[in-house]
Amino acid sequence: MSAGEPGSVVRRMLLGSHLRRLREARGITREAAGYSIRASESKISRMELGRVSFKTRDVEDLLTLYGVNDEAERNALLSLAREANVAGWWHSYSDVLPSWFPTYVGLEGAASLIRVYEVQFVHGLLQTEAYARAVVERGMKGASPADIERRVALRLERQKYLLSTGGPEFHVVLDEAALRRPYGDREVMRGQLQHLIEISERPNVRLQIMPFGFGGHSGESGAFTILSFPESDLSDVIFLEQLTSALYLDKAEDVTQYEKAMKELQQDSPGPDESRDLLRGLLQLS
């Protein structure tokens, strides 16, 4: 994966936040902005959050509405809009992806810090090929072998960013339940545990295990991901995957709550060295 490909998602977010600031500076409502480009208030909201692609004509009309008449400023923002519409590598997998997932893959590939709590299974960025296949087969009952293999291939492709030079910091807390719930046969699980031990030694990976013995903890609401970006203009994004959709939260109060929960999970879980020992213990038992 080339480093620039996920940039289209970040460019959409940057352009969207810039358009929001311009609109707010002029005291124009989202409804009025939507009317000016023959669109709804919710379309403006999605544009400002970087959730949709940008039509050049819409950006031109909004810039005019917001009083941006300087040619250099207009051209810079229109150029950003064109770059934001470049399709990422993951779009070739759109036939086996839920409609909401490409946005996440783009954000994941653009993040400089990814913080995760996972409870159901080992996180996708840490899965072995055999374990990933077992998870996908379980989740896509009735799917063709070809579709299953494409979904597995996508998962392995995502992992290349984590393992690349200049890859993101990846801080993950895995609930012990994720390690004890079998996907695949005994050899698959043994291979997955061994892989976790090895990948946890990487300098950009901080892997902690939340043991059953701790009892209740701050991850009680379920799995979540916090994505942080190198661009200072962009707020952190919370990703919550659901059965048929996903939520992306970036309001400051939401982000603060999830960051607090993550901090507590990290504080309450054994550190990386002790967590590796827990993994070795589970490997011996398997």
Side-chain angles (χ1 to χ4, degrees):
M1 175 197 327
S2 70
E5 283 180 318
S8 58
V9 175
V10 168
R11 290 186 183 100
R12 285 207 307 263
M13 293 169 71
L14 286 170
L15 179 57
S17 65
H18 197 98
L19 290 173
R20 188 193 73 245
R21 287 196 298 274
L22 288 171
R23 177 181 61 75
E24 290 174 346
R26 299 284 289 198
I28 296 170
T29 66
R30 286 196 184 96
E31 186 180 13
Y35 183 80
S36 76
I37 63 166
R38 305 149 298 280
S40 64
E41 179 182 351
S42 64
K43 170 75 177 290
I44 295 294
S45 178
R46 291 195 301 275
M47 288 175 69
E48 290 181 352
L49 291 170
R51 301 285 188 264
V52 292
S53 57
F54 293 89
K55 292 179 182 174
T56 303
R57 179 185 170 189
D58 288 346
V59 177
E60 287 176 336
D61 290 348
L62 288 173
L63 292 178
T64 300
L65 178 67
Y66 301 157
V68 179
N69 299 313
D70 179 75
E71 204 63 29
E73 185 179 0
R74 287 179 70 93
N75 286 339
L77 290 169
L78 288 169
S79 175
L80 190 60
R82 284 189 291 273
E83 292 169 7
N85 288 334
V86 175
W89 61 266
W90 53 89
H91 285 280
S92 63
Y93 292 93
S94 59
D95 56 321
V96 293
L97 281 177
S99 59
W100 44 265
F101 200 63
T103 296
Y104 173 74
V105 178
L107 293 174
E108 181 184 78
S112 55
L113 170 62
I114 303 170
R115 287 168 287 174
V116 169
Y117 170 62
E118 188 59 78
V119 65
Q120 176 70 11
F121 35 59
V122 172
H123 189 271
L125 292 181
L126 301 177
Q127 293 177 5
T128 64
E129 182 174 351
Y131 181 94
R133 186 171 292 107
V135 171
V136 172
E137 285 175 347
R138 174 75 184 165
M140 294 179 67
K141 287 181 178 175
S144 70
D147 282 351
I148 288 170
E149 289 308 310
R150 282 176 58 71
R151 183 73 73 91
V152 172
L154 168 65
R155 199 156 296 184
L156 298 178
E157 191 69 30
R158 283 168 54 204
Q159 294 177 6
K160 291 180 182 178
Y161 176 52
L162 178 65
L163 304 177
S164 66
T165 305
E169 288 290 315
F170 186 60
H171 298 178
V172 56
V173 177
L174 290 179
D175 199 280
E176 186 177 341
L179 305 173
R180 290 189 176 273
R181 182 175 293 108
Y183 281 93
D185 60 22
R186 181 169 172 268
E187 284 309 305
V188 170
M189 290 304 296
R190 284 183 59 81
Q192 180 61 67
L193 289 169
Q194 186 63 51
H195 179 65
L196 288 174
I197 293 167
E198 291 167 5
I199 203 167
S200 71
E201 300 274 8
R202 294 185 66 87
N204 64 323
V205 175
R206 179 183 174 87
L207 173 60
Q208 293 175 261
I209 309 301
M210 169 54 77
F212 284 146
F214 184 82
H217 54 72
S218 60
E220 61 191 7
S221 62
F224 62 92
T225 300
I226 307 173
L227 299 153
S228 304
F229 306 94
E231 292 79 9
S232 58
D233 281 13
L234 299 182
S235 68
D236 289 355
V237 174
I238 311 299
F239 171 72
L240 303 172
E241 185 173 349
Q242 299 173 330
L243 186 61
T244 58
S245 62
L247 287 177
Y248 298 91
L249 310 175
D250 60 0
K251 288 183 180 176
E253 56 267 35
D254 292 329
V255 171
T256 298
Q257 285 289 96
Y258 278 95
E259 289 188 330
K260 179 173 179 284
M262 176 56 70
K263 188 174 182 180
E264 289 178 6
L265 280 165
Q266 291 174 329
Q267 288 172 343
D268 293 339
S269 300
D273 291 340
E274 199 178 335
S275 292
R276 257 190 299 278
D277 289 339
L278 284 170
L279 288 167
R280 292 188 184 105
L282 286 170
L283 185 59
Q284 288 176 349
L285 292 171
S286 65

